[in-house]
Amino acid sequence: MAEVLVYVDHVDGAVRKPTLELLTLARRIGDPVAVALGGGAAGTAAVLAEHGAVRVLAAEAPEFADYLVVPKVDALQAAFDAVSPAAVLVPSSAEGKEIAARLAVRIGSGIITDAVDLEAGELGPVATQSAFAASFTTKSRVSHGVPVITVKPNSAPVE
């Protein structure tokens, strides 16, 4: 099965719920490979493995705390180059969307923001998005490159 990169949102090693939701969604389309950055990143491995991560790539460096997003994008791109994933999942926060957008530009891929569900498709992952206060839903997929997808919090149950 193809690997799926999952960007880990954590505070000093305490993994936040949106990351656990991403791992659940990632298992639907491949094998999750978690990327944890910053102080306490190595301490996330046990929780991430418990929730389905087949591998955890962790990096602790002062620049992750000292700068905004560029060092995180650099590290995520290095993980992307090392893993060659089928998709990249990022929590849909202000920072997450910026990281995802910058990564998509760097790797020459399309991006889908604010997905609420994911499923495997013949031509790649298919994302479901809500529109107009959830009165409509759309299904979309990236047509060029490896999809970079941000997922809204509370979109999937933690498994």
Side-chain angles (χ1 to χ4, degrees), residues 129-138 152:
Q129 296 167 287
S130 294
F132 302 113
S135 30
F136 292 98
T137 58
T138 62
K152 282 185 176 181

Side-chain angles (χ1 to χ4, degrees), residues 45-135:
V47 171
L48 296 171
E50 183 180 313
H51 286 90
V54 295
R55 277 195 295 168
V56 177
L57 306 175
E60 295 185 24
E63 57 261 33
F64 296 129
D66 294 343
Y67 300 99
L68 294 175
V69 297
V70 174
K72 295 172 186 173
V73 177
D74 292 342
L76 197 54
Q77 183 179 7
F80 176 87
D81 293 340
V83 172
S84 298
V88 180
L89 303 182
V90 180
S92 192
S93 62
E95 181 182 67
K97 287 179 188 177
E98 185 171 352
I99 290 170
R102 287 175 182 246
L103 179 66
V105 168
R106 286 188 184 187
I107 63 175
S109 294
I111 183 171
I112 296 173
T113 59
D114 294 335
V116 294
D117 196 12
L118 285 175
E119 60 190 59
E122 288 183 24
L123 300 174
V126 177
T128 302
Q129 296 167 287
S130 294
F132 302 113
S135 30

Side-chain angles (χ1 to χ4, degrees), residues 17-28 51 116-118 151-159:
K17 185 179 175 235
T19 298
L20 304 179
E21 294 168 4
L22 289 181
L23 290 171
T24 299
L25 292 172
R27 287 195 312 273
R28 294 181 187 173
H51 286 90
V116 294
D117 196 12
L118 285 175
V151 180
K152 282 185 176 181
N154 301 315
S155 296
V158 175
E159 296 175 0

